[in-house]
Amino acid sequence: MAEDIVQNNPIDRLLDSKETHISQQSSESKSEISEKSVRPFSTLYGDAVSDEDANSFMSNGTKPKLIVLVGFADYGKTSFVASAFRKLVLQGGTTIDGSNYLLVNTLTIVGFERRMYLRWNNEHNEVNTKRTTLTENSLLHIQLQGETCENYDYVISDRSGEVYTNYVSRKDAVQKDQLIEHADLVVFFVNSQLLNENCFIDLDDKYTQLLTRLKQSHKLNPKSKFIVCFTKDDDKGVGYDDSLATDIVEKIKKFCELDSIDEFHINAMNLLDKDDVVQRLCGEIWRPIKRKQEHPNLNWNKNMLNKE
């Protein structure tokens, strides 16, 4: 499947052209993407969007799939986002449950490129900053197209880890959060390097306080799906204790009131080497949600005011 997608990869046109039609596939009904189904390419070249502008991703009154990445600084959220996007670009799309989906659009390509640059710095030990900054916009957009030419929009919240550190100490900051409670998928990130007796107490304490804050503020929506992602599995260090990973999983299950939860263990460097795990994790990220059309002016982010 990967070869088929790459052969018909539309990403070159996304990056280098302002055309609004892609007709590289053999089937006429499956190849052309009309101007109505793809946002104008004049808005393609953009950075990540702030939480306050989340409603700009409403498509024909329909809420996109919202994925919120939760975790503290240096837990691997941005590295994963960069790798997941790179994987989409290299393959031209993805396969989920046996169905193919083409990458056809992104309104935040600069935001993705910035994250790929940060990941490159990290892998090459460059001096530049290696993490998403506290003031950096967090929302990233992807649009995939299924085999029946139906488009699916995705918004990923890749906030700085310092945001969640603030949530630990400031209840008012948590109460203002409008993304987590509306998320379709919440991914809790855990740095595997901290799963040892020297570091675990601090990790456990911060996650306990964060989950407590989220629970008390009614941000853990029972309609959301929750998963756990352990990063840096290839660089755990001395003293790694697998039982501590189990403790964290059990804690998240308790606060989210779950009987079970999917967990994934991914690498820090050469993340795509563990392609089977990454493919399953990306499958959870990109698995489409079919929604009924909402009211065109629906404000799915309660913190927003309609701009009419």
Side-chain angles (χ1 to χ4, degrees):
M1 178 270 166
E3 293 181 358
D4 294 337
I5 289 183
V6 170
Q7 186 176 0
N8 297 308
N9 190 352
I11 196 64
D12 290 339
R13 297 200 178 197
L14 283 175
L15 298 178
D16 301 325
S17 171
K18 293 183 181 294
E19 294 179 332
T20 56
H21 288 74
I22 299 173
S23 56
Q24 293 181 329
Q25 291 176 292
S26 58
S27 171
E28 184 72 19
S29 63
K30 292 186 179 181
S31 63
E32 289 197 357
I33 303 173
S34 68
E35 294 184 8
K36 293 183 179 179
S37 64
V38 177
R39 294 182 177 89
F41 275 77
S42 62
T43 63
L44 176 65
Y45 302 95
D47 205 343
V49 173
S50 68
D51 293 359
E52 288 72 21
D53 290 322
N55 283 341
S56 64
F57 294 117
M58 288 286 289
S59 177
N60 297 321
T62 302
K63 173 191 168 187
K65 180 175 181 178
L66 176 60
I67 303 104
V68 178
L69 311 183
V70 176
F72 301 102
D74 202 29
Y75 275 30
K77 302 184 300 298
T78 294
S79 291
F80 170 72
V81 167
S83 296
F85 180 67
R86 179 171 177 264
K87 187 176 178 68
L88 278 180
V89 171
L90 291 177
Q91 295 184 346
T94 187
T95 301
I96 303 171
D97 300 330
S99 298
N100 296 337
Y101 296 85
L102 287 177
L103 169 62
V104 294
N105 202 0
T106 171
L107 299 176
T108 56
I109 193 167
V110 174
F112 279 117
E113 288 181 334
R114 187 193 308 278
R115 283 158 175 79
M116 287 192 290
Y117 174 69
L118 292 176
R119 177 163 177 77
W120 184 90
N121 276 348
N122 192 28
E123 290 184 345
H124 293 81
N125 296 314
E126 294 292 327
V127 178
N128 303 50
T129 179
K130 300 177 183 179
R131 295 181 298 154
T132 307
T133 62
L134 181 61
T135 59
E136 189 171 344
N137 291 342
S138 71
L139 297 183
L140 302 160
H141 167 264
I142 283 290
Q143 187 179 77
L144 301 180
Q145 185 180 77
E147 295 176 345
T148 58
C149 290
E150 186 172 1
N151 292 334
Y152 300 95
D153 289 284
Y154 305 79
V155 173
I156 303 175
S157 171
D158 175 33
R159 291 164 166 161
S160 166
E162 281 81 1
V163 169
Y164 295 106
T165 299
N166 287 343
Y167 283 9
V168 168
S169 58
R170 293 180 51 196
K171 184 178 181 179
D172 63 312
V174 179
Q175 291 175 334
K176 293 177 181 178
D177 185 294
Q178 297 297 326
L179 293 181
I180 295 178
E181 65 181 294
H182 292 285
D184 297 290
L185 176 65
V186 178
V187 186
F188 292 104
F189 280 75
V190 180
N191 183 349
S192 295
Q193 293 176 329
L194 304 180
L195 297 176
N196 57 70
E197 62 178 11
N198 293 325
C199 303
F200 183 73
I201 293 178
D202 181 62
L203 181 156
D204 184 61
D205 183 60
K206 288 198 297 185
Y207 246 121
T208 298
Q209 293 184 59
L210 174 62
L211 290 166
T212 299
R213 297 279 194 198
L214 294 174
K215 184 73 171 178
Q216 291 175 342
S217 300
H218 307 288
K219 300 300 181 182
L220 300 175
N221 191 335
K223 295 182 179 180
S224 302
K225 180 178 178 61
F226 301 94
I227 61 178
V228 184
C229 179
F230 292 93
T231 61
K232 309 184 182 184
D233 197 56
D234 54 337
D235 189 23
K236 299 172 185 174
V238 178
Y240 173 82
D241 187 343
D242 189 61
S243 67
L244 299 180
T246 301
D247 290 346
I248 287 293
V249 170
E250 291 301 316
K251 185 181 297 293
I252 293 173
K253 284 168 53 180
K254 176 183 176 181
F255 277 93
C256 296
E257 300 182 9
L258 300 171
D259 294 326
S260 62
I261 189 169
D262 293 332
E263 56 182 282
F264 302 85
H265 297 256
I266 63 176
N267 290 346
M269 304 299 177
N270 302 316
L271 186 148
L272 299 183
D273 284 353
K274 298 182 70 171
D275 193 62
D276 57 333
V277 178
V278 175
Q279 183 66 29
R280 288 191 294 111
L281 178 54
C282 288
E284 293 292 341
I285 300 290
W286 306 127
R287 182 168 286 110
I289 294 178
K290 294 185 178 181
R291 306 186 196 274
K292 294 181 180 179
Q293 184 171 350
E294 310 280 3
H295 188 281
N297 294 322
L298 175 68
N299 197 335
W300 62 274
N301 185 335
K302 295 180 182 177
N303 201 36
M304 302 288 91
L305 294 176
N306 290 321
K307 300 178 180 180
E308 273 198 346

